[in-house]
Amino acid sequence: MPTHYSTIVIGAGAIGSATAYWLAKGGQRDVLVLEQFELGHANGSSNDHHRIIRHSYHDDIYGRLTRPMYDNWAALEAASGQQVFIKTGGLDIAIEGTPGTASLERYRAVMAANGVPFETLNKAQLAKRFPQWHIAEDEVRATFQEESGFIDIRRATATHIAMAQNLGVEVREHTAARAIESVAGSAAGAGTGTGTRTVRVITDGEVFTADKVVVCAASWTDALLQPLGQTWQTTVTEEQVVYVQPKDLKPFAVENFPIWCWHGDDFYYGFPMYGEIAVKLARENLRRVVTQDTRSAAPRPEETALLHDFLAERLPEAAGRVVLAKTCPYDMTPDRDFILDFMPGHPNVIVGSGAAHAGKFCGLLGEILAELIIEGRSQHPIEPFRADRPALVNASIAPVFDLKG
Ligand SMILES: Cc1cc2nc3c(=O)[nH]c(=O)nc-3n(C[C@H](O)[C@H](O)[C@H](O)COP(=O)(O)OP(=O)(O)OC[C@H]3O[C@@H](n4cnc5c(N)ncnc54)[C@H](O)[C@@H]3O)c2cc1C
């Protein structure tokens, strides 16, 4: 007889780990997490020092979620005694007359609609408050939001999984789920929507059964869900970050230098020094389409040079020696929105996709996915993240991978 679990979580990245924790916290017993590599591995999207967290968003479907997102990080820190959120404040900067100003206005509207306070800064105010920035253009528009900062994503993921294990969750490393079968059968303890169906998860050595399975497999999702009739395709891209040692360290320390987003022809973003004696920066969405089988983890020298040039021009005191450059995969849905829903036609299979901007949200997404499993619905507004929305089921709708709004 296969071993039976209440829920199997596939993937122990940021989202799967948070889901396992929230399941155990919600009273679920017999939860199994399957991870194809070792915990904390670097092949997925959740292995680095930081992920930006902010209220400023391009769309209110996310603006409505940022308060509970912050609440969940605070609750995790209180329960674990581990700091995972580093508050630095955050800047959004655009040059007047460029398309970036429209993005800033949109961010401001979303924050205003949700009662989030923010400050607007002109060029002189920005230069006075944050003299690290050297902006040659005459007219600059900036927004400062004091609750922004970053999540130490590696630490957050490790904290979620440790908390889950301490609450009784079983974690199997080096155990890849090769297939999911949703079949009629005697589901022990079936919850809302499962009827009498059960699910079988096949690995190389064993078969497990469960009342429900939640797939948090990020850039590996399609291999598992296409046989179940997945109607969308996950686009995987190779992204690159670079760590640069400042020429003067103190101005770029966490307490002196906010996280930032630069809304120009390209969207650049960056962090103060943390984890390495270096600031980190990147361009959002390089559109280098790969698969997990074809990707090369080698950083490209031309991207490193471009990012260093950005620093040399805009943050010259930060533009010292390149310490480290590395790549990381984005897993993008066709509309770049999350998927948090039951798999159409398979009421005991749940999908959790963060669409390559969920580092900040993973503590909340864990709660939402656990709610779907335990109660069959979530208290949070997740209607936009349905798996049967037009952008996912209608192949004639062209994909949009841009978060600028
Ligand atoms: C360069 C970069 C910068 C980013 N910046 C930000 C940011 O500033 N702010 C922000 O909010 N977000 C950011 N993100 C996005 C954020 O990091 C991701 O949305 C988040 O980490 C995704 O977590 P995940 O658990 O879905 O994916 P992953 O961490 O990739 O986890 C998926 C896991 O599933 C496992 N798995 C897959 N298939 C199987 C299988 N068949 N069997 C067993 N295990 C399996 C994998 O091994 C992996 O461990 C960034 C991402 C990148 C790459």
Side-chain angles (χ1 to χ4, degrees):
M1 279 285 284
T3 315
H4 189 84
Y5 293 87
S6 63
T7 304
I8 297 176
V9 180
I10 299 181
I15 297 176
S17 299
T19 304
Y21 168 61
W22 278 92
L23 282 168
K25 187 171 163 2
Q28 281 262 299
R29 296 286 164 265
D30 304 320
V31 175
L32 173 67
V33 178
L34 298 178
E35 169 53 53
Q36 63 185 337
F37 302 114
E38 69 283 357
L39 292 175
H41 69 88
N43 304 313
S45 302
S46 308
N47 183 278
D48 205 352
H49 297 301
H50 358 57
R51 294 292 183 253
I52 286 179
I53 178 167
R54 52 189 163 92
H55 285 290
S56 56
Y57 242 92
H58 62 288
D59 195 313
D60 197 45
I61 61 176
Y62 298 100
R64 283 179 285 169
L65 295 176
T66 59
R67 285 270 179 230
M69 165 188 83
Y70 275 101
D71 290 347
N72 282 14
W73 288 122
L76 181 71
E77 289 185 334
S80 65
Q82 304 304 308
Q83 185 181 10
V84 295
F85 166 47
I86 292 85
K87 184 171 157 182
T88 62
L91 281 170
D92 284 291
I93 306 174
I95 303 300
E96 214 53 77
T98 71
T101 56
S103 299
L104 245 66
E105 290 314 313
R106 202 154 173 154
Y107 282 26
R108 289 176 181 178
V110 169
M111 288 193 284
N114 291 285
V116 174
F118 60 87
E119 298 169 62
T120 58
L121 305 177
N122 61 25
K123 180 173 172 170
Q125 290 163 327
L126 178 66
K128 185 164 180 221
R129 190 118 161 240
F130 301 109
Q132 299 93 332
W133 284 95
H134 291 221
I135 300 175
E137 289 86 346
D138 290 334
E139 297 292 330
V140 176
R141 196 181 295 193
T143 306
F144 180 76
Q145 209 291 318
E146 57 112 15
E147 284 175 272
S148 300
F150 57 90
I151 298 298
D152 184 330
I153 191 77
R154 194 184 283 172
R155 193 173 172 83
T157 303
T159 300
H160 274 134
I161 208 78
M163 295 286 282
Q165 285 178 307
N166 290 346
L167 289 168
V169 170
E170 181 181 343
V171 179
R172 296 223 189 173
E173 300 176 81
H174 300 289
T175 309
R178 299 295 179 201
I180 298 169
E181 292 172 357
S182 164
V183 293
S186 55
T192 309
T194 56
T196 57
R197 295 186 76 79
T198 191
V199 65
R200 283 158 52 90
V201 176
I202 292 133
T203 70
D204 289 336
E206 278 175 276
V207 176
F208 304 101
T209 63
D211 300 334
K212 293 190 179 123
V213 61
V214 56
V215 178
C216 303
S219 40
W220 293 268
T221 298
D222 293 6
L224 286 172
L225 293 186
Q226 277 175 352
L228 298 182
Q230 177 185 335
T231 50
W232 68 93
Q233 191 182 343
T234 307
T235 298
V236 180
T237 60
E238 185 93 289
E239 304 298 321
Q240 181 169 330
V241 304
V242 64
Y243 284 82
V244 182
Q245 179 179 300
K247 293 186 237 171
D248 188 4
L249 301 188
K250 197 169 177 188
F252 298 98
V254 159
E255 54 273 21
N256 296 326
F257 188 59
I259 62 102
W260 55 270
C261 296
W262 176 272
H263 304 260
D265 292 333
D266 273 323
F267 183 140
Y268 292 78
Y269 61 91
F271 303 83
M273 289 169 28
Y274 177 87
E276 310 288 337
I277 304 301
V279 296
K280 184 176 94 173
L281 78 159
R283 281 194 298 158
E284 144 75 9
N285 195 358
L286 299 178
R287 291 180 164 72
R288 269 188 232 150
V289 177
V290 295
T291 68
Q292 275 292 351
D293 293 330
T294 65
R295 72 179 277 232
S296 143
R300 296 195 185 184
E302 61 273 23
E303 183 65 17
T304 302
L306 187 147
L307 294 169
H308 195 273
D309 287 350
F310 180 94
L311 280 188
E313 183 182 358
R314 311 282 188 193
L315 292 159
E317 291 306 312
R321 178 179 72 88
V322 173
V323 172
L324 172 68
K326 61 185 200 178
T327 65
C328 174
Y330 265 12
D331 60 297
M332 295 191 285
T333 54
D335 54 4
R336 200 72 201 275
D337 287 325
F338 300 160
I339 306 173
L340 304 169
D341 198 4
F342 297 90
M343 187 70 188
H346 301 280
N348 46 6
V349 180
I350 289 129
V351 190
S353 164
H357 58 111
K360 66 182 82 54
F361 281 111
C362 60
L364 177 64
L365 300 196
E367 180 188 19
I368 289 170
L369 292 166
E371 286 175 339
L372 291 179
I373 290 157
I374 297 169
E375 296 163 28
R377 62 194 170 82
S378 174
Q379 63 179 307
H380 298 288
I382 59 166
E383 180 70 17
F385 310 125
R386 289 177 64 107
D388 61 356
R389 61 185 186 259
L392 301 194
V393 299
N394 186 343
S396 68
I397 299 177
V400 179
F401 298 126
D402 205 337
L403 274 186
K404 276 189 263 183

